[in-house]
Amino acid sequence: MTPRLVPAAADAVGRRERPLRLTVDGERVDGLAGQSLAGVLLASGRLHWRRGASGAPRGVFCGIGVCFDCLVTVNGVPDVRACRRRAQDGDEVTTQARTSPGEGATPQQPNSPESAS
């Protein structure tokens, strides 16, 4: 999977240029109908949106729903594989972390300056 936006005319899955909007941790993010959640997140510049048990950032790894690295909470439903779910207009996406305060790494907002290190 790539953050590169494929022109709709060349898209093999039939994506159209119909815009959609969702929120990610309360921030509005624009996408296009037909994109996966992972595709919308990558196109918005997010390379990771979950923290593993060690606190390491996780995002798309396999892109086919096998590795479970891209889990997010969508409309209150936890553990949704972002690479497998099509984005829907109005989706509310919340990033996840397997760590909790006092247990190793402190959860950070994805793409925050601290997460780049």
Side-chain angles (χ1 to χ4, degrees):
M1 187 171 285
T2 175
R4 180 175 52 93
L5 186 60
V6 177
D11 189 356
V13 299
R15 177 180 52 86
R16 302 292 179 251
E17 295 292 338
R18 189 167 42 90
L20 59 85
R21 176 167 286 165
L22 49 97
T23 59
V24 180
D25 292 334
E27 181 180 322
R28 293 194 308 185
V29 175
D30 294 322
L32 296 172
Q35 285 184 299
S36 67
L37 283 173
V40 171
L41 292 170
L42 288 170
S44 72
R46 290 168 171 79
L47 299 180
H48 53 85
W49 45 85
R50 186 175 76 83
R51 294 269 169 193
S54 68
R58 314 304 290 179
V60 172
F61 180 70
C62 71
I64 58 174
V66 174
C67 72
F68 293 84
D69 272 356
C70 63
L71 297 178
V72 290
T73 299
V74 181
N75 302 327
V77 178
D79 299 334
V80 174
R81 290 174 285 180
C83 69
R84 300 284 298 162
R85 187 181 186 282
R86 295 253 183 226
Q88 303 291 319
D89 195 34
D91 276 345
E92 293 184 25
V93 178
T94 307
T95 56
Q96 295 185 177
R98 293 189 64 195
T99 59
S100 61
E103 289 184 10
T106 303
Q108 301 172 349
Q109 291 294 322
N111 301 321
S112 67
E114 297 84 24
S115 66
S117 58

